[in-house]
Amino acid sequence: MKLENKTIPIILQNFVTESGASYNAINLSYELFGLPLHTAPIVLVNHALTGNAQVTGENGWWNDLIGENKTIDTTKYTILAFNVPGNGHNGISIENHTDFTARDIARIFIKGIEFLKINQLYAIIGGSVGGGIAWEILALEPQITKHLIPIATDWKSTDWLIANCYLQELILNNSSNPIEDARIHAMLCYRSPESFKEKFQRTKNDELAIFNVESWLGHHGKKLQKRYQISSYKLMNQLLKTIDITRNTDDFETLMSKTTADIHIIGINSDLFFSARENQETYQELKKFKENVSYNEIDSVHGHDAFLIEYKQLDNLLASIF
């Protein structure tokens, strides 16, 4: 029997964030795909900045990777995906976005996993901020999964990433078109100069009397503005800025020495956001004290967004795990 996906709420009572903010109730919603819960290995999929728990099926944002006879096969696995509380899905928002860190979301997801009576996951996979939250989950619960698959991400936000998040926050707070303008800036981080060159070739939109790259950026800004809340954007940007499994706790080696999970790091050679070099350094650090770790790279001109574009390469890199 295959699951019909629907969003299901969990109400978590009396949650206190790392910063000391108290919430009487946190609404954590999730979706299940594939085989019924507790009948098959469970794969947790963490969504990225503007994503949600709808990872496959109609409007699924990772349909090329997850589904019947796909790499993560819904006829073999149960797929679990949480909505980051406040991501705007189901109309739920969080106004005080600075109350939360990526680790808080990891703690909330762990409570959700416990609520569902899941003892161990087969894999946790996530790209970008979703992958950062995956690192945070593993640091908090070292035996929670057999496989960790962080894609186009890292276990900490770098100075470069924090700087871009800072600019995003300034735009969101000060612009007269905050979501549109922030999205346009973000697209410059998600793609690469080579990607833009390949796509646009300095061509113009004669009707609008502007360059096609300008028209395309404007389109993406307006598109997001129609479906996204500013409170959600501010929250997700805050989470992206606060990824750091070592903050106020042990060092990287101490934390990662506690896990037996296989760690499969996947970088992107043209990623301007979470650089391949940073991923390679993480891999080299892990190799000093852990054997079951691998590093692979997506070869693409498309920058950070390549994890949503280069499905064939991702398929090849993930096939042996699934």
PDB file of all heavy atoms in Angstrom, residues 179-209:
ATOM      1  N   ILE A 179      10.638  41.456  -0.866  1.00  0.00           N
ATOM      2  CA  ILE A 179      10.779  40.063  -1.322  1.00  0.00           C
ATOM      3  C   ILE A 179      11.358  40.017  -2.729  1.00  0.00           C
ATOM      4  O   ILE A 179      12.283  39.241  -3.010  1.00  0.00           O
ATOM      5  CB  ILE A 179       9.431  39.306  -1.245  1.00  0.00           C
ATOM      6  CG1 ILE A 179       9.006  39.139   0.217  1.00  0.00           C
ATOM      7  CG2 ILE A 179       9.540  37.936  -1.923  1.00  0.00           C
ATOM      8  CD1 ILE A 179       7.662  38.471   0.417  1.00  0.00           C
ATOM      9  N   GLU A 180      10.851  40.873  -3.616  1.00  0.00           N
ATOM     10  CA  GLU A 180      11.359  40.910  -4.994  1.00  0.00           C
ATOM     11  C   GLU A 180      12.843  41.253  -5.025  1.00  0.00           C
ATOM     12  O   GLU A 180      13.643  40.569  -5.678  1.00  0.00           O
ATOM     13  CB  GLU A 180      10.588  41.944  -5.814  1.00  0.00           C
ATOM     14  CG  GLU A 180       9.170  41.528  -6.160  1.00  0.00           C
ATOM     15  CD  GLU A 180       8.490  42.548  -7.060  1.00  0.00           C
ATOM     16  OE1 GLU A 180       9.141  43.022  -8.010  1.00  0.00           O
ATOM     17  OE2 GLU A 180       7.315  42.870  -6.812  1.00  0.00           O
ATOM     18  N   ASP A 181      13.217  42.304  -4.312  1.00  0.00           N
ATOM     19  CA  ASP A 181      14.601  42.767  -4.365  1.00  0.00           C
ATOM     20  C   ASP A 181      15.554  41.778  -3.699  1.00  0.00           C
ATOM     21  O   ASP A 181      16.659  41.541  -4.199  1.00  0.00           O
ATOM     22  CB  ASP A 181      14.711  44.149  -3.702  1.00  0.00           C
ATOM     23  CG  ASP A 181      14.010  45.235  -4.504  1.00  0.00           C
ATOM     24  OD1 ASP A 181      13.627  44.959  -5.656  1.00  0.00           O
ATOM     25  OD2 ASP A 181      13.837  46.355  -3.976  1.00  0.00           O
ATOM     26  N   ALA A 182      15.115  41.189  -2.580  1.00  0.00           N
ATOM     27  CA  ALA A 182      15.961  40.198  -1.896  1.00  0.00           C
ATOM     28  C   ALA A 182      16.157  38.969  -2.776  1.00  0.00           C
ATOM     29  O   ALA A 182      17.250  38.403  -2.846  1.00  0.00           O
ATOM     30  CB  ALA A 182      15.350  39.805  -0.551  1.00  0.00           C
ATOM     31  N   ARG A 183      15.100  38.584  -3.467  1.00  0.00           N
ATOM     32  CA  ARG A 183      15.189  37.416  -4.350  1.00  0.00           C
ATOM     33  C   ARG A 183      16.159  37.669  -5.509  1.00  0.00           C
ATOM     34  O   ARG A 183      16.927  36.775  -5.889  1.00  0.00           O
ATOM     35  CB  ARG A 183      13.795  37.075  -4.899  1.00  0.00           C
ATOM     36  CG  ARG A 183      13.750  35.828  -5.785  1.00  0.00           C
ATOM     37  CD  ARG A 183      14.144  34.588  -5.031  1.00  0.00           C
ATOM     38  NE  ARG A 183      13.759  33.380  -5.750  1.00  0.00           N
ATOM     39  CZ  ARG A 183      13.972  32.151  -5.294  1.00  0.00           C
ATOM     40  NH1 ARG A 183      14.563  31.974  -4.135  1.00  0.00           N
ATOM     41  NH2 ARG A 183      13.601  31.093  -5.987  1.00  0.00           N
ATOM     42  N   ILE A 184      16.110  38.868  -6.061  1.00  0.00           N
ATOM     43  CA  ILE A 184      17.015  39.201  -7.170  1.00  0.00           C
ATOM     44  C   ILE A 184      18.465  39.106  -6.708  1.00  0.00           C
ATOM     45  O   ILE A 184      19.308  38.517  -7.386  1.00  0.00           O
ATOM     46  CB  ILE A 184      16.680  40.594  -7.738  1.00  0.00           C
ATOM     47  CG1 ILE A 184      15.369  40.531  -8.537  1.00  0.00           C
ATOM     48  CG2 ILE A 184      17.815  41.107  -8.626  1.00  0.00           C
ATOM     49  CD1 ILE A 184      14.801  41.882  -8.918  1.00  0.00           C
ATOM     50  N   HIS A 185      18.762  39.642  -5.519  1.00  0.00           N
ATOM     51  CA  HIS A 185      20.120  39.507  -4.992  1.00  0.00           C
ATOM     52  C   HIS A 185      20.460  38.041  -4.757  1.00  0.00           C
ATOM     53  O   HIS A 185      21.551  37.579  -5.102  1.00  0.00           O
ATOM     54  CB  HIS A 185      20.291  40.287  -3.676  1.00  0.00           C
ATOM     55  CG  HIS A 185      21.496  39.862  -2.894  1.00  0.00           C
ATOM     56  ND1 HIS A 185      21.402  39.192  -1.694  1.00  0.00           N
ATOM     57  CD2 HIS A 185      22.820  39.953  -3.174  1.00  0.00           C
ATOM     58  CE1 HIS A 185      22.630  38.908  -1.264  1.00  0.00           C
ATOM     59  NE2 HIS A 185      23.501  39.357  -2.134  1.00  0.00           N
ATOM     60  N   ALA A 186      19.526  37.291  -4.188  1.00  0.00           N
ATOM     61  CA  ALA A 186      19.785  35.881  -3.874  1.00  0.00           C
ATOM     62  C   ALA A 186      20.093  35.080  -5.133  1.00  0.00           C
ATOM     63  O   ALA A 186      20.954  34.190  -5.115  1.00  0.00           O
ATOM     64  CB  ALA A 186      18.586  35.273  -3.148  1.00  0.00           C
ATOM     65  N   MET A 187      19.412  35.388  -6.244  1.00  0.00           N
ATOM     66  CA  MET A 187      19.651  34.651  -7.485  1.00  0.00           C
ATOM     67  C   MET A 187      21.088  34.807  -7.959  1.00  0.00           C
ATOM     68  O   MET A 187      21.636  33.925  -8.626  1.00  0.00           O
ATOM     69  CB  MET A 187      18.681  35.099  -8.582  1.00  0.00           C
ATOM     70  CG  MET A 187      17.223  34.761  -8.339  1.00  0.00           C
ATOM     71  SD  MET A 187      16.866  33.018  -8.002  1.00  0.00           S
ATOM     72  CE  MET A 187      17.274  32.276  -9.581  1.00  0.00           C
ATOM     73  N   LEU A 188      21.725  35.932  -7.620  1.00  0.00           N
ATOM     74  CA  LEU A 188      23.130  36.130  -7.985  1.00  0.00           C
ATOM     75  C   LEU A 188      24.039  35.215  -7.169  1.00  0.00           C
ATOM     76  O   LEU A 188      25.143  34.883  -7.597  1.00  0.00           O
ATOM     77  CB  LEU A 188      23.545  37.583  -7.760  1.00  0.00           C
ATOM     78  CG  LEU A 188      22.703  38.657  -8.465  1.00  0.00           C
ATOM     79  CD1 LEU A 188      23.315  40.031  -8.248  1.00  0.00           C
ATOM     80  CD2 LEU A 188      22.572  38.365  -9.958  1.00  0.00           C
ATOM     81  N   CYS A 189      23.560  34.803  -5.979  1.00  0.00           N
ATOM     82  CA  CYS A 189      24.316  33.850  -5.147  1.00  0.00           C
ATOM     83  C   CYS A 189      24.026  32.408  -5.560  1.00  0.00           C
ATOM     84  O   CYS A 189      24.887  31.541  -5.460  1.00  0.00           O
ATOM     85  CB  CYS A 189      23.941  34.027  -3.676  1.00  0.00           C
ATOM     86  SG  CYS A 189      24.262  35.667  -3.025  1.00  0.00           S
ATOM     87  N   TYR A 190      22.794  32.164  -6.000  1.00  0.00           N
ATOM     88  CA  TYR A 190      22.380  30.788  -6.321  1.00  0.00           C
ATOM     89  C   TYR A 190      22.925  30.316  -7.670  1.00  0.00           C
ATOM     90  O   TYR A 190      23.028  29.117  -7.912  1.00  0.00           O
ATOM     91  CB  TYR A 190      20.857  30.680  -6.363  1.00  0.00           C
ATOM     92  CG  TYR A 190      20.157  30.998  -5.067  1.00  0.00           C
ATOM     93  CD1 TYR A 190      18.819  31.385  -5.059  1.00  0.00           C
ATOM     94  CD2 TYR A 190      20.822  30.926  -3.834  1.00  0.00           C
ATOM     95  CE1 TYR A 190      18.158  31.681  -3.868  1.00  0.00           C
ATOM     96  CE2 TYR A 190      20.175  31.228  -2.647  1.00  0.00           C
ATOM     97  CZ  TYR A 190      18.855  31.598  -2.674  1.00  0.00           C
ATOM     98  OH  TYR A 190      18.192  31.903  -1.509  1.00  0.00           O
ATOM     99  N   ARG A 191      23.222  31.244  -8.563  1.00  0.00           N
ATOM    100  CA  ARG A 191      23.790  30.895  -9.864  1.00  0.00           C
ATOM    101  C   ARG A 191      25.246  31.357  -9.919  1.00  0.00           C
ATOM    102  O   ARG A 191      25.824  31.742  -8.904  1.00  0.00           O
ATOM    103  CB  ARG A 191      22.960  31.525 -10.987  1.00  0.00           C
ATOM    104  CG  ARG A 191      21.509  31.030 -11.044  1.00  0.00           C
ATOM    105  CD  ARG A 191      21.388  29.538 -11.307  1.00  0.00           C
ATOM    106  NE  ARG A 191      20.020  29.065 -11.223  1.00  0.00           N
ATOM    107  CZ  ARG A 191      19.231  28.889 -12.270  1.00  0.00           C
ATOM    108  NH1 ARG A 191      19.654  29.177 -13.487  1.00  0.00           N
ATOM    109  NH2 ARG A 191      18.005  28.430 -12.108  1.00  0.00           N
ATOM    110  N   SER A 192      25.834  31.340 -11.093  1.00  0.00           N
ATOM    111  CA  SER A 192      27.239  31.731 -11.235  1.00  0.00           C
ATOM    112  C   SER A 192      27.384  32.623 -12.468  1.00  0.00           C
ATOM    113  O   SER A 192      26.510  32.628 -13.343  1.00  0.00           O
ATOM    114  CB  SER A 192      28.122  30.485 -11.403  1.00  0.00           C
ATOM    115  OG  SER A 192      27.899  29.905 -12.679  1.00  0.00           O
ATOM    116  N   PRO A 193      28.497  33.352 -12.586  1.00  0.00           N
ATOM    117  CA  PRO A 193      28.720  34.157 -13.793  1.00  0.00           C
ATOM    118  C   PRO A 193      28.667  33.317 -15.062  1.00  0.00           C
ATOM    119  O   PRO A 193      28.089  33.740 -16.079  1.00  0.00           O
ATOM    120  CB  PRO A 193      30.116  34.747 -13.569  1.00  0.00           C
ATOM    121  CG  PRO A 193      30.274  34.794 -12.082  1.00  0.00           C
ATOM    122  CD  PRO A 193      29.553  33.587 -11.570  1.00  0.00           C
ATOM    123  N   GLU A 194      29.224  32.108 -15.019  1.00  0.00           N
ATOM    124  CA  GLU A 194      29.239  31.229 -16.199  1.00  0.00           C
ATOM    125  C   GLU A 194      27.826  30.780 -16.565  1.00  0.00           C
ATOM    126  O   GLU A 194      27.481  30.650 -17.745  1.00  0.00           O
ATOM    127  CB  GLU A 194      30.132  30.014 -15.952  1.00  0.00           C
ATOM    128  CG  GLU A 194      31.607  30.331 -15.858  1.00  0.00           C
ATOM    129  CD  GLU A 194      31.996  30.957 -14.517  1.00  0.00           C
ATOM    130  OE1 GLU A 194      31.205  30.855 -13.552  1.00  0.00           O
ATOM    131  OE2 GLU A 194      33.084  31.549 -14.446  1.00  0.00           O
ATOM    132  N   SER A 195      27.008  30.526 -15.546  1.00  0.00           N
ATOM    133  CA  SER A 195      25.625  30.119 -15.778  1.00  0.00           C
ATOM    134  C   SER A 195      24.851  31.221 -16.494  1.00  0.00           C
ATOM    135  O   SER A 195      24.123  30.973 -17.458  1.00  0.00           O
ATOM    136  CB  SER A 195      24.945  29.789 -14.450  1.00  0.00           C
ATOM    137  OG  SER A 195      23.596  29.428 -14.644  1.00  0.00           O
ATOM    138  N   PHE A 196      25.034  32.460 -16.032  1.00  0.00           N
ATOM    139  CA  PHE A 196      24.365  33.603 -16.670  1.00  0.00           C
ATOM    140  C   PHE A 196      24.852  33.785 -18.110  1.00  0.00           C
ATOM    141  O   PHE A 196      24.065  34.063 -19.015  1.00  0.00           O
ATOM    142  CB  PHE A 196      24.621  34.879 -15.870  1.00  0.00           C
ATOM    143  CG  PHE A 196      23.682  35.055 -14.695  1.00  0.00           C
ATOM    144  CD1 PHE A 196      22.917  34.005 -14.217  1.00  0.00           C
ATOM    145  CD2 PHE A 196      23.577  36.276 -14.060  1.00  0.00           C
ATOM    146  CE1 PHE A 196      22.058  34.157 -13.147  1.00  0.00           C
ATOM    147  CE2 PHE A 196      22.716  36.457 -12.982  1.00  0.00           C
ATOM    148  CZ  PHE A 196      21.957  35.397 -12.520  1.00  0.00           C
ATOM    149  N   LYS A 197      26.145  33.633 -18.304  1.00  0.00           N
ATOM    150  CA  LYS A 197      26.692  33.790 -19.649  1.00  0.00           C
ATOM    151  C   LYS A 197      26.104  32.755 -20.601  1.00  0.00           C
ATOM    152  O   LYS A 197      25.682  33.082 -21.724  1.00  0.00           O
ATOM    153  CB  LYS A 197      28.221  33.660 -19.614  1.00  0.00           C
ATOM    154  CG  LYS A 197      28.876  33.850 -20.979  1.00  0.00           C
ATOM    155  CD  LYS A 197      30.386  33.744 -20.898  1.00  0.00           C
ATOM    156  CE  LYS A 197      31.017  33.945 -22.262  1.00  0.00           C
ATOM    157  NZ  LYS A 197      32.489  33.843 -22.232  1.00  0.00           N
ATOM    158  N   GLU A 198      26.062  31.503 -20.147  1.00  0.00           N
ATOM    159  CA  GLU A 198      25.528  30.426 -20.986  1.00  0.00           C
ATOM    160  C   GLU A 198      24.057  30.649 -21.315  1.00  0.00           C
ATOM    161  O   GLU A 198      23.598  30.398 -22.427  1.00  0.00           O
ATOM    162  CB  GLU A 198      25.702  29.081 -20.264  1.00  0.00           C
ATOM    163  CG  GLU A 198      25.244  27.889 -21.067  1.00  0.00           C
ATOM    164  CD  GLU A 198      25.433  26.570 -20.323  1.00  0.00           C
ATOM    165  OE1 GLU A 198      26.591  26.128 -20.192  1.00  0.00           O
ATOM    166  OE2 GLU A 198      24.421  26.019 -19.860  1.00  0.00           O
ATOM    167  N   LYS A 199      23.309  31.159 -20.330  1.00  0.00           N
ATOM    168  CA  LYS A 199      21.864  31.302 -20.492  1.00  0.00           C
ATOM    169  C   LYS A 199      21.467  32.528 -21.321  1.00  0.00           C
ATOM    170  O   LYS A 199      20.545  32.464 -22.126  1.00  0.00           O
ATOM    171  CB  LYS A 199      21.209  31.385 -19.109  1.00  0.00           C
ATOM    172  CG  LYS A 199      19.693  31.357 -19.124  1.00  0.00           C
ATOM    173  CD  LYS A 199      19.149  31.314 -17.711  1.00  0.00           C
ATOM    174  CE  LYS A 199      17.637  31.228 -17.692  1.00  0.00           C
ATOM    175  NZ  LYS A 199      17.108  29.941 -18.210  1.00  0.00           N
ATOM    176  N   PHE A 200      22.196  33.661 -21.153  1.00  0.00           N
ATOM    177  CA  PHE A 200      21.715  34.922 -21.715  1.00  0.00           C
ATOM    178  C   PHE A 200      22.554  35.501 -22.852  1.00  0.00           C
ATOM    179  O   PHE A 200      22.019  36.203 -23.718  1.00  0.00           O
ATOM    180  CB  PHE A 200      21.573  35.965 -20.599  1.00  0.00           C
ATOM    181  CG  PHE A 200      20.599  35.555 -19.532  1.00  0.00           C
ATOM    182  CD1 PHE A 200      21.048  35.204 -18.266  1.00  0.00           C
ATOM    183  CD2 PHE A 200      19.248  35.500 -19.796  1.00  0.00           C
ATOM    184  CE1 PHE A 200      20.159  34.807 -17.279  1.00  0.00           C
ATOM    185  CE2 PHE A 200      18.342  35.108 -18.819  1.00  0.00           C
ATOM    186  CZ  PHE A 200      18.802  34.758 -17.555  1.00  0.00           C
ATOM    187  N   GLN A 201      23.850  35.252 -22.856  1.00  0.00           N
ATOM    188  CA  GLN A 201      24.705  35.731 -23.947  1.00  0.00           C
ATOM    189  C   GLN A 201      24.513  37.228 -24.253  1.00  0.00           C
ATOM    190  O   GLN A 201      24.513  37.640 -25.408  1.00  0.00           O
ATOM    191  CB  GLN A 201      24.429  34.905 -25.214  1.00  0.00           C
ATOM    192  CG  GLN A 201      24.769  33.421 -25.090  1.00  0.00           C
ATOM    193  CD  GLN A 201      26.258  33.149 -25.061  1.00  0.00           C
ATOM    194  OE1 GLN A 201      27.034  33.817 -25.726  1.00  0.00           O
ATOM    195  NE2 GLN A 201      26.654  32.150 -24.282  1.00  0.00           N
ATOM    196  N   ARG A 202      24.281  38.020 -23.228  1.00  0.00           N
ATOM    197  CA  ARG A 202      24.128  39.477 -23.345  1.00  0.00           C
ATOM    198  C   ARG A 202      22.970  39.887 -24.283  1.00  0.00           C
ATOM    199  O   ARG A 202      22.930  40.997 -24.812  1.00  0.00           O
ATOM    200  CB  ARG A 202      25.435  40.135 -23.820  1.00  0.00           C
ATOM    201  CG  ARG A 202      26.606  39.901 -22.872  1.00  0.00           C
ATOM    202  CD  ARG A 202      27.894  40.510 -23.364  1.00  0.00           C
ATOM    203  NE  ARG A 202      27.787  41.956 -23.434  1.00  0.00           N
ATOM    204  CZ  ARG A 202      27.792  42.653 -24.566  1.00  0.00           C
ATOM    205  NH1 ARG A 202      27.911  42.012 -25.735  1.00  0.00           N
ATOM    206  NH2 ARG A 202      27.705  43.954 -24.563  1.00  0.00           N
ATOM    207  N   THR A 203      22.006  38.986 -24.449  1.00  0.00           N
ATOM    208  CA  THR A 203      20.870  39.283 -25.328  1.00  0.00           C
ATOM    209  C   THR A 203      19.913  40.266 -24.651  1.00  0.00           C
ATOM    210  O   THR A 203      19.888  40.390 -23.428  1.00  0.00           O
ATOM    211  CB  THR A 203      20.106  38.000 -25.693  1.00  0.00           C
ATOM    212  OG1 THR A 203      19.758  37.308 -24.482  1.00  0.00           O
ATOM    213  CG2 THR A 203      20.948  37.104 -26.575  1.00  0.00           C
ATOM    214  N   LYS A 204      19.109  40.919 -25.486  1.00  0.00           N
ATOM    215  CA  LYS A 204      18.186  41.924 -24.969  1.00  0.00           C
ATOM    216  C   LYS A 204      16.736  41.546 -25.225  1.00  0.00           C
ATOM    217  O   LYS A 204      16.425  40.828 -26.179  1.00  0.00           O
ATOM    218  CB  LYS A 204      18.480  43.284 -25.608  1.00  0.00           C
ATOM    219  CG  LYS A 204      19.770  43.931 -25.116  1.00  0.00           C
ATOM    220  CD  LYS A 204      19.934  45.337 -25.683  1.00  0.00           C
ATOM    221  CE  LYS A 204      21.173  46.005 -25.095  1.00  0.00           C
ATOM    222  NZ  LYS A 204      21.375  47.365 -25.641  1.00  0.00           N
ATOM    223  N   ASN A 205      15.873  42.047 -24.355  1.00  0.00           N
ATOM    224  CA  ASN A 205      14.437  41.955 -24.572  1.00  0.00           C
ATOM    225  C   ASN A 205      14.006  43.277 -25.217  1.00  0.00           C
ATOM    226  O   ASN A 205      13.881  44.301 -24.548  1.00  0.00           O
ATOM    227  CB  ASN A 205      13.731  41.745 -23.222  1.00  0.00           C
ATOM    228  CG  ASN A 205      12.227  41.562 -23.353  1.00  0.00           C
ATOM    229  OD1 ASN A 205      11.586  42.222 -24.173  1.00  0.00           O
ATOM    230  ND2 ASN A 205      11.677  40.683 -22.536  1.00  0.00           N
ATOM    231  N   ASP A 206      13.831  43.242 -26.522  1.00  0.00           N
ATOM    232  CA  ASP A 206      13.552  44.481 -27.269  1.00  0.00           C
ATOM    233  C   ASP A 206      12.234  45.119 -26.857  1.00  0.00           C
ATOM    234  O   ASP A 206      12.108  46.348 -26.814  1.00  0.00           O
ATOM    235  CB  ASP A 206      13.542  44.200 -28.775  1.00  0.00           C
ATOM    236  CG  ASP A 206      14.930  43.818 -29.280  1.00  0.00           C
ATOM    237  OD1 ASP A 206      15.914  44.313 -28.689  1.00  0.00           O
ATOM    238  OD2 ASP A 206      15.029  43.023 -30.229  1.00  0.00           O
ATOM    239  N   GLU A 207      11.273  44.270 -26.532  1.00  0.00           N
ATOM    240  CA  GLU A 207       9.953  44.782 -26.159  1.00  0.00           C
ATOM    241  C   GLU A 207      10.029  45.637 -24.888  1.00  0.00           C
ATOM    242  O   GLU A 207       9.391  46.679 -24.778  1.00  0.00           O
ATOM    243  CB  GLU A 207       9.007  43.592 -25.933  1.00  0.00           C
ATOM    244  CG  GLU A 207       7.546  43.993 -25.831  1.00  0.00           C
ATOM    245  CD  GLU A 207       6.642  42.781 -25.632  1.00  0.00           C
ATOM    246  OE1 GLU A 207       6.969  41.700 -26.173  1.00  0.00           O
ATOM    247  OE2 GLU A 207       5.647  42.925 -24.933  1.00  0.00           O
ATOM    248  N   LEU A 208      10.840  45.157 -23.911  1.00  0.00           N
ATOM    249  CA  LEU A 208      10.969  45.885 -22.647  1.00  0.00           C
ATOM    250  C   LEU A 208      12.162  46.839 -22.649  1.00  0.00           C
ATOM    251  O   LEU A 208      12.336  47.615 -21.704  1.00  0.00           O
ATOM    252  CB  LEU A 208      11.119  44.892 -21.489  1.00  0.00           C
ATOM    253  CG  LEU A 208       9.951  43.927 -21.249  1.00  0.00           C
ATOM    254  CD1 LEU A 208      10.302  42.926 -20.160  1.00  0.00           C
ATOM    255  CD2 LEU A 208       8.690  44.690 -20.865  1.00  0.00           C
ATOM    256  N   ALA A 209      12.999  46.729 -23.672  1.00  0.00           N
ATOM    257  CA  ALA A 209      14.206  47.560 -23.799  1.00  0.00           C
ATOM    258  C   ALA A 209      15.154  47.380 -22.617  1.00  0.00           C
ATOM    259  O   ALA A 209      15.719  48.341 -22.089  1.00  0.00           O
ATOM    260  CB  ALA A 209      13.830  49.029 -23.957  1.00  0.00           C
TER     261      ALA A 209
END
